[in-house]
Amino acid sequence: DEHLRFHVLIHETADVAGAERFWADLTGARAAAFGKTSLKTHSPKTNRKNVGENYRGCLAVRVLKSAELYRRIEGSWYGIVLGADTANRHNVRFSRD
């Protein structure tokens, strides 16, 4: 989608190029959709558990011009919540009979 932008966030000691390829393959996004990768500096004082060849960092996704999408998601959420509340009240009423 032309409205999606991706950014890889990863530790500098990891396989950065491999992580970038991993996320590009997984999303199927074109290279132009990816922004600059953010590297977290390594601190030898910490005992990181996210290490090894399977560590791919995190993928941040930004949606450009997202107001309409946000409103659609919000509307769906309200529909789910109100529908669940109505169903719950209906179930409570019949369970008391």
Side-chain angles (χ1 to χ4, degrees):
D1 188 321
E2 65 206 38
H3 292 88
L4 296 179
R5 295 295 178 267
F6 303 98
H7 298 273
V8 178
L9 314 169
I10 192 165
H11 287 272
E12 66 183 355
T13 56
D15 179 11
V16 176
E20 291 170 341
R21 280 190 309 277
F22 171 81
W23 290 114
D25 291 344
L26 185 68
T27 62
R30 61 196 195 297
F34 280 83
K36 183 178 176 187
T37 296
S38 296
L39 300 179
K40 182 174 180 183
T41 56
H42 177 66
S43 173
K45 296 177 185 177
T46 60
N47 185 14
R48 287 183 34 227
K49 292 181 174 60
N50 52 354
V51 295
E53 64 186 49
N54 292 328
Y55 172 61
R56 304 293 187 215
C58 295
L59 183 68
V61 180
R62 293 184 181 162
V63 181
L64 305 178
K65 300 181 181 178
S66 59
E68 180 185 344
L69 176 62
Y70 177 84
R71 286 188 201 102
R72 288 175 40 203
I73 292 170
E74 184 179 35
S76 297
W77 176 248
Y78 279 120
I80 292 168
V81 170
L82 293 176
D85 186 48
T86 302
N88 187 39
R89 277 191 259 139
H90 180 74
N91 289 336
V92 169
R93 186 172 0 141
F94 285 110
S95 66
R96 292 181 185 164
D97 293 340

